[in-house]
Amino acid sequence: MSAPRILAVYRLIFGALITVASVQALFAAHGDHAVVLLAGAEIAGALLLCWRRTQWPGAAVLLIVFAAAQVHSAMQGEWPIRFLLYAASALLIVTMDRRLAPGRPSDFGNAQ
């Protein structure tokens, strides 16, 4: 399987998992308006990230949501690292996509 295809599969899996987690958060929100707002924005960002043409705005939305979710968790007395992992994955997707874009020279297989 080619690197662009692997990235495309990872992008879809990541987007789907973020969307599912956001829907779960919506059901568990129990009136917490901050969680509802973050989960809704997270779903929108995850869907935008799934398409190459809208991946950068989607990644930006997700990074803002992950930062806000980290602050919200900290205010609840929690310090989860999962939001850092999610942010790293979103950044990996968009930066690798830029690197693997057609017409751009690749460093893969050219190790000196």
Side-chain angles (χ1 to χ4, degrees):
M1 190 181 305
S2 68
R5 174 106 13 171
I6 292 168
L7 181 61
V9 170
Y10 184 77
R11 174 196 311 271
L12 291 176
I13 291 170
F14 179 74
L17 292 175
I18 292 297
T19 301
V20 168
S22 298
V23 169
Q24 289 174 336
L26 281 173
F27 285 124
H30 302 297
D32 187 340
H33 298 294
V35 172
V36 171
L37 179 65
L38 287 173
E42 191 173 41
I43 291 168
L47 293 175
L48 288 171
L49 186 68
C50 286
W51 286 274
R52 291 184 72 217
R53 293 181 147 237
T54 58
Q55 69 182 346
W56 283 98
V61 168
L62 287 174
L63 292 176
I64 291 166
V65 167
F66 298 149
Q70 182 63 49
V71 169
H72 185 265
S73 292
M75 292 172 58
Q76 303 291 325
E78 300 174 19
W79 291 94
I81 61 168
R82 67 182 176 269
F83 300 116
L84 291 173
L85 177 61
Y86 300 160
S89 288
L91 288 172
L92 173 76
I93 289 167
V94 293
T95 56
M96 287 300 296
D97 184 76
R98 176 179 277 177
R99 187 70 176 150
L100 295 172
R104 180 176 170 99
S106 176
D107 291 338
F108 296 110
N110 296 332
Q112 298 288 334

